[in-house]
Every structure is written in structure tokens, then in C-alpha cells.
Amino acid sequence: MVATEEAPIERLLQAPGDRGERSGRGGTRSARHTLWSMPEGDALHRAARRLQVLVGQELEVETPHPRAAVKQLAPRLDGRRLESVEAIGKNLLLHFEGGLVVRSHLRMKGRWRVFRRDAPILGQPWLVLRGEEYVGAMFNGAVLELDRGVARRLGPDILGEPPDFDAMVRHLRSVDQRREVGDALLDQRLVAGIGNLWKAESLWYARVSPWRRLGDVSDSELRATLEEAHRLMRGRLDGVPGTGQVYRRKGRPCPRCGTPIRSWPQGDGARMAYWCPACQRGEEPKTA
């Protein structure tokens, strides 16, 4: 399910550099892994920027996809004014008049697109918001629901302005210090917005192994990792081009020292960790 991307508004509203997100018939580029394709916190902030063209308008709302239609969002939202759009961590919150807040979470494959109103939209979007000139559409929805306070249970946003690094470190210190730092960084209740890609990249830049226990990582190392995550994600949001140093580069030489990159599943979700065993020294999984 994809929408036509030839509409001029899609190019106008993309953050600089977004044109590198897809190649060919919709696949992502896979040479040296680019940092365009993962819908993490920066992707939600870009979507919030694009959807600002709809704020203040009474919208026509549709939910073409059957899994979204059963939620009965369209009848409740159609004709209401969109008051604001904000990104918090990996969540996008659409605030409508009357106190209704719609939360979307893109998981691994979801996308928000913005088109001119007269542009054809192909496939079955989960949510379509039609304004006076533009249309916002969410594809591959994963999570689309009325918010019931999820955002209030999230940790500090890594893309907050300014980011509250002190609070992030306090949150990371509030949990079991035997927990591996790479696993803890993905816990949205501790720090909101970091996903598997930025976890791998920020730990590499900070020279911290994802397998080290929180209790063995100093506050300064935690803060350095969080600062790298913010720097990388803010750069991506502002259109700074970049390529992955370790993410999805198993077996390839570390850009810093030449040691082959390793990978192994981590945490209850078995998300793949990537690291350089020479640059990021520390305890490692016994079976990797």
C-alpha cells in the first residue's frame, strides 16, 4: 500500500535529505546503510513538521484501511478542527477540538505522507486527513488510536528542546543496574525516541558497548551516549546527510579501527545489537 509520491507537495514538505529515503519501486537503499529508512523519533518529528499545513482547519477524515475503520475514528473526528500536532518520542499526537487526541505509532514500516488535495492517493491508508489544500495520510498504521495517556508515561524526549539529559540519566539510574545499557536505551519509559538504529550509532560514537551493565557505565558515559543520540537525530531532522557506522554492518570493518563489526540479538525483544568489539570494549554475550 503506497501513495503516489509524484505530487509536488510531498517534495516541498520533506525535510532536506528525505529524497534519499527510497529507491526504485519503494525499496530502501542497502549499499552502505543510509540513515533514512527507520521510523524512529526523528521521523515522527519530521512528520509533525509536514502536518503543520493542516493545523487550524476543519478536516475531512477517512479511515480506508479495514483495520483502522473498525476503530470508528472517522465518525468522531470528521469535521473537527485540528488544533495541533506534536511528536513525543516515537509517538505522533494529533490534537482535535473537543479534547480528542489521536496517537499514531509507526512501528517498523509506517509512514506519514502529505500531498496536495487534488493528488491521487493509491492503496489503503489507515488515516486520511483532508484540509483545504493538502492531505495528510498515514500508511501501514500499526498503532492508531485515541490516546489514553500513553505520552504521559514516556521518558524525556531525546529530541526535546532543550533535551533534559539530567532527567534521562536519572531515569536510567532508576531501574535495575544489572540491565544492559543497549537494552535500556530502547525503553521508551526511560528515554523516548531512541530506536535500534540510533542506539547502535550513538553507542559506537560514545565508545560504549551495548552489553555493558548500567551499573558499570558511568554517568558521563551515559550522558555522552545520549548527547550523541540527540546530535545524530537532530542532524537527521535538520537534513544533515549521514551513513551508518555500525548499524547493519556485521562483518564489515569498523570505520574507526578496522575490526569486523559484530551483531547479536539483545533484550526481551531480541532487537539486533551492532558493535565494534575493539572500540566498544566490555562484557559481551557468551554465544555471540
Side-chain angles (χ1 to χ4, degrees), residues 158-171:
I158 192 66
L159 283 172
E161 287 296 345
D164 193 344
F165 294 123
D166 290 339
M168 295 176 202
V169 172
R170 287 197 302 271
H171 278 233

Side-chain angles (χ1 to χ4, degrees), residues 137-193:
M138 178 189 181
F139 294 85
N140 298 323
V143 176
L144 183 67
E145 62 188 11
L146 290 179
D147 180 56
R148 293 177 173 81
V150 170
R152 293 193 295 271
R153 298 193 291 272
L154 296 173
D157 193 337
I158 192 66
L159 283 172
E161 287 296 345
D164 193 344
F165 294 123
D166 290 339
M168 295 176 202
V169 172
R170 287 197 302 271
H171 278 233
L172 289 164
R173 292 301 186 207
S174 71
V175 297
D176 188 343
Q177 295 300 285
R178 293 171 296 179
R179 191 171 182 181
E180 294 159 350
V181 63
D183 180 50
L185 287 174
L186 296 182
D187 190 334
Q188 301 299 297
R189 297 167 298 179
L190 304 178
V191 180

Side-chain angles (χ1 to χ4, degrees), residues 32-33 35 200-201 203-205 207 242-262 274-280:
R32 185 173 181 186
H33 187 74
L35 302 185
E201 296 297 311
L203 286 168
W204 181 83
Y205 276 101
R207 296 176 181 257
T243 54
Q245 306 301 313
V246 291
Y247 183 72
R248 290 185 178 174
R249 288 176 52 84
K250 178 183 178 181
R252 301 174 70 177
C254 169
R256 192 159 47 209
C257 72
T259 302
I261 300 300
R262 301 179 71 181
Y274 298 87
W275 77 102
C276 171
C279 291
Q280 299 167 266

Side-chain angles (χ1 to χ4, degrees), residues 60-83:
E60 301 169 21
V61 180
E62 304 169 15
T63 50
H65 196 286
R67 289 177 59 189
V70 298
K71 299 175 183 289
Q72 292 296 298
L73 291 175
R76 300 190 66 175
L77 300 174
D78 189 50
R80 289 181 183 264
R81 187 181 307 278
L82 179 64
E83 295 182 335

